[in-house]
Amino acid sequence: MFAVPAGFPYRLTRNLMIAAGVLYCSLILEAVAGYPLDVHASFLSELGALDQSTSLYARAGDLGAGVLVLFAAVLARPAARMHRDVMGLMSSAALFGLSTLADSFFPMDCAPSASAACRIAEKHGHDGVELVIHEVTSTLAGLGTIALGLFAILVLRRIGWAGVWGRAVAVLAAAVALTNAWLGIATGVEVVSGDDLHPPGVLQRVAILLLCVLLAVLLPALKRGFSDDHLARAARNGRDRGGVRVAA
């Protein structure tokens, strides 16, 4: 285990991640807009559909969040040598950021939950290339989110959980991975079966909210775990709380 590299701009990277979490939290936009879509039947990405008044703001939020997360991943490159789980964490963040960025450029033409004609066109495969690309990028963003949660747990475990705060963030990361995996499976089954099994709206909003919070609190938890005091205690004990030897 190594201390955080001197060349790593922690404060700037942390602030970028916090800002990304705020921008990606489209629940704020939905509330400000007065809940224009049925929260039970709609995906938040429908706020960015071209037939919605919130389209420009929703896509701008995704664009900003994607750029900020990608920038943060680039700034975090000095930390990549610390361990392969840190590299996995950075790669997952980059995948999420790039996919979210792409989402903003390929919005849906219409919101299926708000338009019967849109639902019919989608059901009969007349939904256009944009929707297909949007579904691909959204799937990749979901996979990046799941991986982000899992790698966050692995890093926190290896550095000794970083106290009560770190354990709370690990639980949050597990919730992010679980809710996004659950959402992905439910959506996949619905697409394959062609049946509307359960409205995805509430589950997706919970998953997005948890992710936004994780983006904001992850780096402070990691910094505490990688702090010099923590490493010094681990060195005196010969190993950290996770049972990993501290490199000399």
Side-chain angles (χ1 to χ4, degrees):
M1 186 189 301
F2 301 91
V4 175
F8 174 61
Y10 165 76
R11 183 172 298 178
L12 175 59
T13 308
R14 178 201 63 193
N15 292 342
L16 289 174
M17 293 291 281
I18 292 173
V22 173
L23 287 175
Y24 192 67
C25 195
S26 46
L27 286 88
I28 299 174
L29 172 61
E30 183 178 47
V32 171
Y35 296 96
L37 300 173
D38 184 346
V39 297
H40 295 282
S42 66
F43 283 103
L44 281 169
S45 57
E46 292 181 51
L47 293 172
L50 296 179
D51 68 338
Q52 296 297 304
S53 60
T54 53
S55 178
L56 180 61
Y57 304 106
R59 287 185 286 129
D62 280 353
L63 175 63
V67 169
L68 291 178
V69 171
L70 281 174
F71 190 24
V74 171
L75 291 177
R77 285 184 302 171
R81 70 176 184 269
M82 299 173 75
H83 197 273
R84 60 181 175 271
D85 53 16
V86 178
M87 174 61 79
L89 185 66
M90 292 169 49
S91 300
S92 302
L95 175 60
F96 165 76
L98 183 61
S99 302
T100 300
L101 175 63
D103 263 351
S104 67
F105 289 108
F106 297 98
M108 295 179 286
D109 289 331
C110 55
S113 68
S115 168
C118 187
R119 288 193 298 273
I120 293 173
E122 182 180 7
K123 184 176 181 179
H124 290 85
H126 301 146
D127 36 43
V129 176
E130 291 79 5
L131 179 58
V132 175
I133 297 176
H134 179 82
E135 289 177 344
V136 171
T137 55
S138 295
T139 299
L140 291 175
L143 292 174
T145 300
I146 295 169
L148 180 70
L150 295 176
F151 278 112
I153 296 171
L154 292 176
V155 175
L156 286 165
R157 178 181 181 277
R158 183 172 57 80
I159 63 179
W161 300 114
V164 175
W165 173 251
R167 290 180 186 276
V169 173
V171 171
L172 174 61
V176 167
L178 178 61
T179 52
N180 280 276
W182 183 5
L183 178 64
I185 292 171
T187 304
V189 170
E190 183 175 314
V191 170
V192 171
S193 66
D195 296 325
D196 295 331
L197 302 177
H198 298 286
V202 174
L203 174 60
Q204 195 219 14
R205 283 161 176 78
V206 170
I208 293 295
L209 178 60
L210 292 174
L211 174 60
C212 293
V213 176
L214 179 63
L215 292 175
V217 302
L218 179 58
L219 281 183
L222 294 178
K223 182 189 179 186
R224 179 172 180 175
F226 281 116
S227 68
D228 291 338
D229 289 342
H230 175 83
L231 293 176
R233 289 195 302 270
R236 286 195 297 269
N237 294 332
R239 56 187 178 85
D240 67 6
R241 294 189 182 95
V244 180
R245 292 269 174 194
V246 179

